[in-house]
CSV table of all heavy atoms in Angstrom, one decimal:
chain,number,residue,atom,x,y,z
M,1,GLY,N,24.7,-16.3,-18.2
M,1,GLY,CA,24.4,-15.1,-19.0
M,1,GLY,C,23.6,-14.1,-18.4
M,1,GLY,O,23.3,-13.0,-19.0
M,2,LEU,N,23.3,-14.2,-17.0
M,2,LEU,CA,22.6,-13.1,-16.3
M,2,LEU,C,23.5,-12.3,-15.5
M,2,LEU,O,24.6,-12.8,-15.0
M,2,LEU,CB,21.5,-13.8,-15.4
M,2,LEU,CG,20.4,-14.6,-16.1
M,2,LEU,CD1,19.4,-15.0,-15.0
M,2,LEU,CD2,19.8,-13.9,-17.2
M,3,SER,N,23.2,-11.1,-15.3
M,3,SER,CA,24.0,-10.1,-14.5
M,3,SER,C,23.1,-9.1,-13.9
M,3,SER,O,22.8,-8.0,-14.5
M,3,SER,CB,25.1,-9.5,-15.4
M,3,SER,OG,25.9,-8.6,-14.6
M,4,PRO,N,22.5,-9.3,-12.7
M,4,PRO,CA,21.5,-8.3,-12.2
M,4,PRO,C,22.2,-7.0,-11.9
M,4,PRO,O,23.3,-7.0,-11.3
M,4,PRO,CB,21.1,-9.1,-10.9
M,4,PRO,CG,22.1,-10.1,-10.6
M,4,PRO,CD,22.7,-10.5,-11.9
M,5,ASN,N,21.5,-6.0,-12.2
M,5,ASN,CA,21.9,-4.6,-12.0
M,5,ASN,C,20.8,-3.7,-11.6
M,5,ASN,O,19.9,-3.5,-12.4
M,5,ASN,CB,22.6,-4.1,-13.3
M,5,ASN,CG,23.2,-2.7,-13.1
M,5,ASN,OD1,22.9,-1.9,-12.2
M,5,ASN,ND2,24.2,-2.4,-14.0
M,6,ALA,N,20.8,-3.2,-10.4
M,6,ALA,CA,19.6,-2.5,-9.9
M,6,ALA,C,19.3,-1.3,-10.7
M,6,ALA,O,18.1,-0.9,-10.9
M,6,ALA,CB,19.8,-2.0,-8.4
M,7,SER,N,20.3,-0.7,-11.4
M,7,SER,CA,20.1,0.6,-12.1
M,7,SER,C,19.2,0.3,-13.4
M,7,SER,O,18.6,1.3,-13.9
M,7,SER,CB,21.4,1.2,-12.5
M,7,SER,OG,22.1,0.4,-13.4
M,8,ILE,N,19.2,-0.9,-13.9
M,8,ILE,CA,18.4,-1.2,-15.1
M,8,ILE,C,17.4,-2.3,-14.9
M,8,ILE,O,16.6,-2.5,-15.8
M,8,ILE,CB,19.3,-1.5,-16.3
M,8,ILE,CG1,20.3,-2.7,-15.9
M,8,ILE,CG2,20.2,-0.3,-16.8
M,8,ILE,CD1,21.1,-3.2,-17.1
M,9,HIS,N,17.4,-3.0,-13.8
M,9,HIS,CA,16.5,-4.1,-13.5
M,9,HIS,C,15.6,-3.9,-12.4
M,9,HIS,O,14.7,-4.7,-12.2
M,9,HIS,CB,17.3,-5.4,-13.3
M,9,HIS,CG,18.2,-5.8,-14.5
M,9,HIS,ND1,19.5,-6.3,-14.3
M,9,HIS,CD2,18.0,-5.7,-15.8
M,9,HIS,CE1,20.0,-6.6,-15.5
M,9,HIS,NE2,19.1,-6.2,-16.4
M,10,GLN,N,15.7,-2.9,-11.6
M,10,GLN,CA,14.9,-2.7,-10.4
M,10,GLN,C,13.5,-2.1,-10.8
M,10,GLN,O,13.4,-1.3,-11.7
M,10,GLN,CB,15.6,-1.7,-9.5
M,10,GLN,CG,14.9,-1.6,-8.1
M,10,GLN,CD,15.9,-1.0,-7.1
M,10,GLN,OE1,16.5,-1.8,-6.4
M,10,GLN,NE2,16.0,0.3,-7.0
M,11,PHE,N,12.5,-2.5,-10.0
M,11,PHE,CA,11.2,-2.0,-10.1
M,11,PHE,C,11.1,-0.7,-9.4
M,11,PHE,O,11.3,-0.7,-8.1
M,11,PHE,CB,10.1,-3.0,-9.6
M,11,PHE,CG,8.7,-2.6,-9.8
M,11,PHE,CD1,7.9,-3.4,-10.6
M,11,PHE,CD2,8.2,-1.5,-9.2
M,11,PHE,CE1,6.5,-3.1,-10.8
M,11,PHE,CE2,6.8,-1.2,-9.4
M,11,PHE,CZ,6.0,-2.0,-10.2
M,12,ASN,N,10.9,0.5,-10.0
M,12,ASN,CA,10.9,1.8,-9.4
M,12,ASN,C,9.6,2.5,-9.6
M,12,ASN,O,9.1,2.5,-10.7
M,12,ASN,CB,12.1,2.7,-9.9
M,12,ASN,CG,13.4,2.1,-9.7
M,12,ASN,OD1,13.7,1.6,-8.6
M,12,ASN,ND2,14.3,2.2,-10.6
M,13,MET,N,9.2,3.2,-8.6
M,13,MET,CA,8.1,4.2,-8.8
M,13,MET,C,8.4,5.4,-7.9
M,13,MET,O,8.6,5.3,-6.7
M,13,MET,CB,6.7,3.6,-8.3
M,13,MET,CG,5.5,4.5,-8.5
M,13,MET,SD,4.0,3.8,-8.1
M,13,MET,CE,3.8,2.5,-9.3
M,14,ASP,N,8.4,6.6,-8.6
M,14,ASP,CA,8.7,7.8,-7.9
M,14,ASP,C,7.3,8.6,-7.7
M,14,ASP,O,6.6,8.8,-8.7
M,14,ASP,CB,9.7,8.7,-8.7
M,14,ASP,CG,11.0,8.0,-8.8
M,14,ASP,OD1,11.3,7.1,-8.0
M,14,ASP,OD2,11.8,8.4,-9.8
M,15,LEU,N,7.0,8.9,-6.5
M,15,LEU,CA,5.7,9.4,-6.2
M,15,LEU,C,5.8,10.7,-5.4
M,15,LEU,O,6.6,10.8,-4.5
M,15,LEU,CB,5.0,8.3,-5.3
M,15,LEU,CG,3.5,8.5,-5.1
M,15,LEU,CD1,2.7,7.4,-5.9
M,15,LEU,CD2,3.2,8.2,-3.6
M,16,ILE,N,5.0,11.7,-5.7
M,16,ILE,CA,4.9,12.9,-4.9
M,16,ILE,C,4.2,12.6,-3.7
M,16,ILE,O,2.9,12.3,-3.7
M,16,ILE,CB,4.3,14.0,-5.7
M,16,ILE,CG1,5.1,14.4,-7.0
M,16,ILE,CG2,4.1,15.3,-4.8
M,16,ILE,CD1,4.4,15.4,-7.8
M,17,PRO,N,4.8,12.6,-2.5
M,17,PRO,CA,4.1,12.1,-1.3
M,17,PRO,C,2.9,13.0,-0.9
M,17,PRO,O,1.9,12.4,-0.4
M,17,PRO,CB,5.2,12.1,-0.2
M,17,PRO,CG,6.2,13.1,-0.7
M,17,PRO,CD,6.2,13.0,-2.2
M,18,GLU,N,3.0,14.3,-1.1
M,18,GLU,CA,1.9,15.2,-0.7
M,18,GLU,C,0.6,14.9,-1.5
M,18,GLU,O,-0.5,15.1,-1.1
M,18,GLU,CB,2.3,16.6,-0.9
M,18,GLU,CG,3.4,17.1,0.0
M,18,GLU,CD,4.8,17.0,-0.7
M,18,GLU,OE1,4.9,16.1,-1.6
M,18,GLU,OE2,5.7,17.7,-0.3
M,19,LEU,N,0.8,14.4,-2.8
M,19,LEU,CA,-0.3,14.2,-3.7
M,19,LEU,C,-0.7,12.7,-3.9
M,19,LEU,O,-1.8,12.4,-4.4
M,19,LEU,CB,-0.1,15.0,-5.0
M,19,LEU,CG,0.2,16.4,-4.9
M,19,LEU,CD1,0.6,17.0,-6.3
M,19,LEU,CD2,-1.0,17.2,-4.5
M,20,GLY,N,0.3,11.9,-3.7
M,20,GLY,CA,0.0,10.5,-4.1
M,20,GLY,C,0.0,10.2,-5.5
M,20,GLY,O,-0.5,9.2,-6.0
M,21,ILE,N,0.7,11.0,-6.3
M,21,ILE,CA,0.7,11.0,-7.8
M,21,ILE,C,2.1,10.5,-8.2
M,21,ILE,O,3.1,11.1,-7.9
M,21,ILE,CB,0.4,12.3,-8.4
M,21,ILE,CG1,-1.0,12.8,-8.0
M,21,ILE,CG2,0.6,12.2,-9.9
M,21,ILE,CD1,-1.3,14.1,-8.6
M,22,PRO,N,2.2,9.4,-9.0
M,22,PRO,CA,3.5,8.9,-9.6
M,22,PRO,C,3.9,9.9,-10.7
M,22,PRO,O,3.1,10.4,-11.5
M,22,PRO,CB,3.1,7.5,-10.2
M,22,PRO,CG,1.8,7.2,-9.7
M,22,PRO,CD,1.1,8.5,-9.4
M,23,ILE,N,5.2,10.2,-10.7
M,23,ILE,CA,5.8,11.0,-11.7
M,23,ILE,C,6.8,10.3,-12.6
M,23,ILE,O,7.2,10.8,-13.7
M,23,ILE,CB,6.4,12.3,-11.2
M,23,ILE,CG1,7.5,11.9,-10.2
M,23,ILE,CG2,5.4,13.2,-10.5
M,23,ILE,CD1,8.4,13.1,-9.7
M,24,ASN,N,7.2,9.1,-12.1
M,24,ASN,CA,8.1,8.3,-12.9
M,24,ASN,C,7.8,6.8,-12.5
M,24,ASN,O,7.8,6.5,-11.3
M,24,ASN,CB,9.5,8.7,-12.6
M,24,ASN,CG,10.5,7.8,-13.4
M,24,ASN,OD1,10.5,7.8,-14.6
M,24,ASN,ND2,11.3,7.0,-12.7
M,25,VAL,N,7.6,6.0,-13.5
M,25,VAL,CA,7.4,4.5,-13.3
M,25,VAL,C,8.3,3.7,-14.2
M,25,VAL,O,8.4,4.0,-15.4
M,25,VAL,CB,5.9,4.2,-13.5
M,25,VAL,CG1,5.7,2.7,-13.3
M,25,VAL,CG2,5.0,4.9,-12.6
M,26,GLU,N,9.0,2.7,-13.6
M,26,GLU,CA,9.8,1.8,-14.3
M,26,GLU,C,9.4,0.4,-13.7
M,26,GLU,O,10.0,-0.1,-12.8
M,26,GLU,CB,11.3,2.0,-14.1
M,26,GLU,CG,11.7,3.4,-14.7
M,26,GLU,CD,13.1,3.8,-14.2
M,26,GLU,OE1,13.4,3.5,-13.1
M,26,GLU,OE2,13.8,4.5,-15.0
M,27,ALA,N,8.3,-0.2,-14.2
M,27,ALA,CA,7.8,-1.4,-13.7
M,27,ALA,C,8.4,-2.6,-14.5
M,27,ALA,O,8.1,-2.7,-15.7
M,27,ALA,CB,6.3,-1.5,-13.8
M,28,ARG,N,9.2,-3.4,-13.8
M,28,ARG,CA,10.0,-4.4,-14.5
M,28,ARG,C,9.7,-5.8,-13.9
M,28,ARG,O,9.8,-5.9,-12.7
M,28,ARG,CB,11.5,-4.1,-14.4
M,28,ARG,CG,11.9,-2.8,-15.1
M,28,ARG,CD,13.2,-2.2,-14.6
M,28,ARG,NE,13.6,-1.1,-15.5
M,28,ARG,CZ,14.4,-0.1,-15.0
M,28,ARG,NH1,14.7,-0.1,-13.8
M,28,ARG,NH2,14.7,0.9,-15.8
C-alpha cells in the first residue's frame, strides 16, 4: 500500500541564501 513519491513525500526547505531566511517549508 505504499508508493514513495518525492514530489509529495520529500522534506523540502527553500531558503534565500543571502539572508538565511526560509521562504517555503514542507517538513515531512
Side-chain angles (χ1 to χ4, degrees):
L2 300 187
S3 181
N5 183 339
S7 65
I8 56 177
H9 298 141
Q10 188 162 266
F11 188 116
N12 297 320
M13 182 179 293
D14 299 340
L15 191 109
I16 299 176
E18 297 94 333
L19 300 173
I21 297 174
I23 58 172
N24 179 61
V25 177
E26 296 165 325
R28 295 161 172 151

